[in-house]
mmCIF file with all atom_site columns, all heavy atoms in Angstrom:
data_model
loop_
_atom_site.group_PDB
_atom_site.id
_atom_site.type_symbol
_atom_site.label_atom_id
_atom_site.label_alt_id
_atom_site.label_comp_id
_atom_site.label_asym_id
_atom_site.label_entity_id
_atom_site.label_seq_id
_atom_site.pdbx_PDB_ins_code
_atom_site.Cartn_x
_atom_site.Cartn_y
_atom_site.Cartn_z
_atom_site.occupancy
_atom_site.B_iso_or_equiv
_atom_site.pdbx_formal_charge
_atom_site.auth_seq_id
_atom_site.auth_comp_id
_atom_site.auth_asym_id
_atom_site.auth_atom_id
_atom_site.pdbx_PDB_model_num
ATOM 1   N N   . GLY W 1 506 ? 134.206 -31.192 175.278 1.00 0.00 ? 506 GLY W N   1
ATOM 2   C CA  . GLY W 1 506 ? 134.502 -32.027 176.433 1.00 0.00 ? 506 GLY W CA  1
ATOM 3   C C   . GLY W 1 506 ? 134.751 -33.478 176.083 1.00 0.00 ? 506 GLY W C   1
ATOM 4   O O   . GLY W 1 506 ? 135.351 -34.222 176.879 1.00 0.00 ? 506 GLY W O   1
ATOM 5   N N   . ASN W 1 507 ? 134.337 -33.917 174.921 1.00 0.00 ? 507 ASN W N   1
ATOM 6   C CA  . ASN W 1 507 ? 134.541 -35.296 174.487 1.00 0.00 ? 507 ASN W CA  1
ATOM 7   C C   . ASN W 1 507 ? 135.782 -35.448 173.610 1.00 0.00 ? 507 ASN W C   1
ATOM 8   O O   . ASN W 1 507 ? 136.027 -36.524 173.078 1.00 0.00 ? 507 ASN W O   1
ATOM 9   C CB  . ASN W 1 507 ? 133.297 -35.778 173.721 1.00 0.00 ? 507 ASN W CB  1
ATOM 10  C CG  . ASN W 1 507 ? 133.341 -37.253 173.401 1.00 0.00 ? 507 ASN W CG  1
ATOM 11  O OD1 . ASN W 1 507 ? 133.516 -38.085 174.294 1.00 0.00 ? 507 ASN W OD1 1
ATOM 12  N ND2 . ASN W 1 507 ? 133.218 -37.589 172.117 1.00 0.00 ? 507 ASN W ND2 1
ATOM 13  N N   . LEU W 1 508 ? 136.544 -34.382 173.478 1.00 0.00 ? 508 LEU W N   1
ATOM 14  C CA  . LEU W 1 508 ? 137.695 -34.417 172.579 1.00 0.00 ? 508 LEU W CA  1
ATOM 15  C C   . LEU W 1 508 ? 138.996 -34.312 173.364 1.00 0.00 ? 508 LEU W C   1
ATOM 16  O O   . LEU W 1 508 ? 139.076 -33.621 174.381 1.00 0.00 ? 508 LEU W O   1
ATOM 17  C CB  . LEU W 1 508 ? 137.626 -33.264 171.576 1.00 0.00 ? 508 LEU W CB  1
ATOM 18  C CG  . LEU W 1 508 ? 136.334 -33.122 170.765 1.00 0.00 ? 508 LEU W CG  1
ATOM 19  C CD1 . LEU W 1 508 ? 136.409 -31.893 169.876 1.00 0.00 ? 508 LEU W CD1 1
ATOM 20  C CD2 . LEU W 1 508 ? 136.055 -34.371 169.943 1.00 0.00 ? 508 LEU W CD2 1
ATOM 21  N N   . THR W 1 509 ? 140.025 -34.953 172.844 1.00 0.00 ? 509 THR W N   1
ATOM 22  C CA  . THR W 1 509 ? 141.364 -34.824 173.417 1.00 0.00 ? 509 THR W CA  1
ATOM 23  C C   . THR W 1 509 ? 142.394 -35.100 172.325 1.00 0.00 ? 509 THR W C   1
ATOM 24  O O   . THR W 1 509 ? 142.062 -35.654 171.271 1.00 0.00 ? 509 THR W O   1
ATOM 25  C CB  . THR W 1 509 ? 141.556 -35.794 174.600 1.00 0.00 ? 509 THR W CB  1
ATOM 26  O OG1 . THR W 1 509 ? 142.710 -35.411 175.344 1.00 0.00 ? 509 THR W OG1 1
ATOM 27  C CG2 . THR W 1 509 ? 141.713 -37.238 174.124 1.00 0.00 ? 509 THR W CG2 1
ATOM 28  N N   . LEU W 1 510 ? 143.625 -34.688 172.559 1.00 0.00 ? 510 LEU W N   1
ATOM 29  C CA  . LEU W 1 510 ? 144.704 -35.001 171.629 1.00 0.00 ? 510 LEU W CA  1
ATOM 30  C C   . LEU W 1 510 ? 145.371 -36.294 172.059 1.00 0.00 ? 510 LEU W C   1
ATOM 31  O O   . LEU W 1 510 ? 145.587 -36.540 173.252 1.00 0.00 ? 510 LEU W O   1
ATOM 32  C CB  . LEU W 1 510 ? 145.738 -33.877 171.611 1.00 0.00 ? 510 LEU W CB  1
ATOM 33  C CG  . LEU W 1 510 ? 145.292 -32.537 171.030 1.00 0.00 ? 510 LEU W CG  1
ATOM 34  C CD1 . LEU W 1 510 ? 146.444 -31.536 171.060 1.00 0.00 ? 510 LEU W CD1 1
ATOM 35  C CD2 . LEU W 1 510 ? 144.766 -32.684 169.604 1.00 0.00 ? 510 LEU W CD2 1
ATOM 36  N N   . LEU W 1 511 ? 145.722 -37.110 171.085 1.00 0.00 ? 511 LEU W N   1
ATOM 37  C CA  . LEU W 1 511 ? 146.346 -38.392 171.381 1.00 0.00 ? 511 LEU W CA  1
ATOM 38  C C   . LEU W 1 511 ? 147.372 -38.704 170.296 1.00 0.00 ? 511 LEU W C   1
ATOM 39  O O   . LEU W 1 511 ? 147.104 -38.504 169.098 1.00 0.00 ? 511 LEU W O   1
ATOM 40  C CB  . LEU W 1 511 ? 145.288 -39.500 171.446 1.00 0.00 ? 511 LEU W CB  1
ATOM 41  C CG  . LEU W 1 511 ? 145.755 -40.867 171.944 1.00 0.00 ? 511 LEU W CG  1
ATOM 42  C CD1 . LEU W 1 511 ? 146.293 -40.775 173.377 1.00 0.00 ? 511 LEU W CD1 1
ATOM 43  C CD2 . LEU W 1 511 ? 144.617 -41.872 171.875 1.00 0.00 ? 511 LEU W CD2 1
ATOM 44  N N   . GLU W 1 512 ? 148.517 -39.179 170.727 1.00 0.00 ? 512 GLU W N   1
ATOM 45  C CA  . GLU W 1 512 ? 149.552 -39.533 169.761 1.00 0.00 ? 512 GLU W CA  1
ATOM 46  C C   . GLU W 1 512 ? 149.051 -40.617 168.812 1.00 0.00 ? 512 GLU W C   1
ATOM 47  O O   . GLU W 1 512 ? 148.360 -41.555 169.222 1.00 0.00 ? 512 GLU W O   1
ATOM 48  C CB  . GLU W 1 512 ? 150.807 -40.029 170.496 1.00 0.00 ? 512 GLU W CB  1
ATOM 49  C CG  . GLU W 1 512 ? 151.507 -38.970 171.319 1.00 0.00 ? 512 GLU W CG  1
ATOM 50  C CD  . GLU W 1 512 ? 150.978 -38.823 172.739 1.00 0.00 ? 512 GLU W CD  1
ATOM 51  O OE1 . GLU W 1 512 ? 149.807 -39.250 172.995 1.00 0.00 ? 512 GLU W OE1 1
ATOM 52  O OE2 . GLU W 1 512 ? 151.706 -38.306 173.598 1.00 0.00 ? 512 GLU W OE2 1
ATOM 53  N N   . LYS W 1 513 ? 149.400 -40.493 167.547 1.00 0.00 ? 513 LYS W N   1
ATOM 54  C CA  . LYS W 1 513 ? 148.887 -41.391 166.513 1.00 0.00 ? 513 LYS W CA  1
ATOM 55  C C   . LYS W 1 513 ? 149.223 -42.851 166.815 1.00 0.00 ? 513 LYS W C   1
ATOM 56  O O   . LYS W 1 513 ? 148.400 -43.751 166.613 1.00 0.00 ? 513 LYS W O   1
ATOM 57  C CB  . LYS W 1 513 ? 149.456 -40.987 165.156 1.00 0.00 ? 513 LYS W CB  1
ATOM 58  C CG  . LYS W 1 513 ? 148.910 -41.763 163.977 1.00 0.00 ? 513 LYS W CG  1
ATOM 59  C CD  . LYS W 1 513 ? 149.473 -41.224 162.671 1.00 0.00 ? 513 LYS W CD  1
ATOM 60  C CE  . LYS W 1 513 ? 148.903 -41.969 161.472 1.00 0.00 ? 513 LYS W CE  1
ATOM 61  N NZ  . LYS W 1 513 ? 149.468 -41.437 160.195 1.00 0.00 ? 513 LYS W NZ  1
ATOM 62  N N   . ALA W 1 514 ? 150.449 -43.089 167.293 1.00 0.00 ? 514 ALA W N   1
ATOM 63  C CA  . ALA W 1 514 ? 150.861 -44.466 167.574 1.00 0.00 ? 514 ALA W CA  1
ATOM 64  C C   . ALA W 1 514 ? 149.992 -45.097 168.658 1.00 0.00 ? 514 ALA W C   1
ATOM 65  O O   . ALA W 1 514 ? 149.697 -46.294 168.612 1.00 0.00 ? 514 ALA W O   1
ATOM 66  C CB  . ALA W 1 514 ? 152.330 -44.485 168.013 1.00 0.00 ? 514 ALA W CB  1
ATOM 67  N N   . ILE W 1 515 ? 149.566 -44.292 169.618 1.00 0.00 ? 515 ILE W N   1
ATOM 68  C CA  . ILE W 1 515 ? 148.691 -44.794 170.683 1.00 0.00 ? 515 ILE W CA  1
ATOM 69  C C   . ILE W 1 515 ? 147.261 -44.914 170.179 1.00 0.00 ? 515 ILE W C   1
ATOM 70  O O   . ILE W 1 515 ? 146.557 -45.888 170.471 1.00 0.00 ? 515 ILE W O   1
ATOM 71  C CB  . ILE W 1 515 ? 148.749 -43.874 171.916 1.00 0.00 ? 515 ILE W CB  1
ATOM 72  C CG1 . ILE W 1 515 ? 150.185 -43.784 172.443 1.00 0.00 ? 515 ILE W CG1 1
ATOM 73  C CG2 . ILE W 1 515 ? 147.805 -44.350 173.007 1.00 0.00 ? 515 ILE W CG2 1
ATOM 74  C CD1 . ILE W 1 515 ? 150.355 -42.763 173.555 1.00 0.00 ? 515 ILE W CD1 1
ATOM 75  N N   . ASN W 1 516 ? 146.839 -43.927 169.417 1.00 0.00 ? 516 ASN W N   1
ATOM 76  C CA  . ASN W 1 516 ? 145.450 -43.879 168.951 1.00 0.00 ? 516 ASN W CA  1
ATOM 77  C C   . ASN W 1 516 ? 145.106 -45.073 168.074 1.00 0.00 ? 516 ASN W C   1
ATOM 78  O O   . ASN W 1 516 ? 143.956 -45.513 168.019 1.00 0.00 ? 516 ASN W O   1
ATOM 79  C CB  . ASN W 1 516 ? 145.213 -42.578 168.187 1.00 0.00 ? 516 ASN W CB  1
ATOM 80  C CG  . ASN W 1 516 ? 143.742 -42.233 168.071 1.00 0.00 ? 516 ASN W CG  1
ATOM 81  O OD1 . ASN W 1 516 ? 142.916 -42.731 168.828 1.00 0.00 ? 516 ASN W OD1 1
ATOM 82  N ND2 . ASN W 1 516 ? 143.410 -41.378 167.131 1.00 0.00 ? 516 ASN W ND2 1
ATOM 83  N N   . ALA W 1 517 ? 146.131 -45.609 167.389 1.00 0.00 ? 517 ALA W N   1
ATOM 84  C CA  . ALA W 1 517 ? 145.876 -46.752 166.501 1.00 0.00 ? 517 ALA W CA  1
ATOM 85  C C   . ALA W 1 517 ? 145.362 -47.952 167.269 1.00 0.00 ? 517 ALA W C   1
ATOM 86  O O   . ALA W 1 517 ? 144.658 -48.805 166.714 1.00 0.00 ? 517 ALA W O   1
ATOM 87  C CB  . ALA W 1 517 ? 147.159 -47.114 165.761 1.00 0.00 ? 517 ALA W CB  1
ATOM 88  N N   . SER W 1 518 ? 145.710 -48.029 168.563 1.00 0.00 ? 518 SER W N   1
ATOM 89  C CA  . SER W 1 518 ? 145.291 -49.178 169.374 1.00 0.00 ? 518 SER W CA  1
ATOM 90  C C   . SER W 1 518 ? 144.002 -48.929 170.146 1.00 0.00 ? 518 SER W C   1
ATOM 91  O O   . SER W 1 518 ? 143.473 -49.840 170.789 1.00 0.00 ? 518 SER W O   1
ATOM 92  C CB  . SER W 1 518 ? 146.401 -49.529 170.376 1.00 0.00 ? 518 SER W CB  1
ATOM 93  O OG  . SER W 1 518 ? 146.593 -48.468 171.311 1.00 0.00 ? 518 SER W OG  1
ATOM 94  N N   . VAL W 1 519 ? 143.492 -47.701 170.083 1.00 0.00 ? 519 VAL W N   1
ATOM 95  C CA  . VAL W 1 519 ? 142.319 -47.344 170.874 1.00 0.00 ? 519 VAL W CA  1
ATOM 96  C C   . VAL W 1 519 ? 141.035 -47.866 170.249 1.00 0.00 ? 519 VAL W C   1
ATOM 97  O O   . VAL W 1 519 ? 140.178 -48.454 170.921 1.00 0.00 ? 519 VAL W O   1
ATOM 98  C CB  . VAL W 1 519 ? 142.242 -45.812 171.077 1.00 0.00 ? 519 VAL W CB  1
ATOM 99  C CG1 . VAL W 1 519 ? 140.901 -45.423 171.667 1.00 0.00 ? 519 VAL W CG1 1
ATOM 100 C CG2 . VAL W 1 519 ? 143.371 -45.358 171.992 1.00 0.00 ? 519 VAL W CG2 1
#
Side-chain angles (χ1 to χ4, degrees):
N507 188 54
L508 307 177
T509 195
L510 293 181
L511 189 61
E512 294 87 339
K513 185 176 182 180
I515 301 173
N516 199 19
S518 65
V519 169

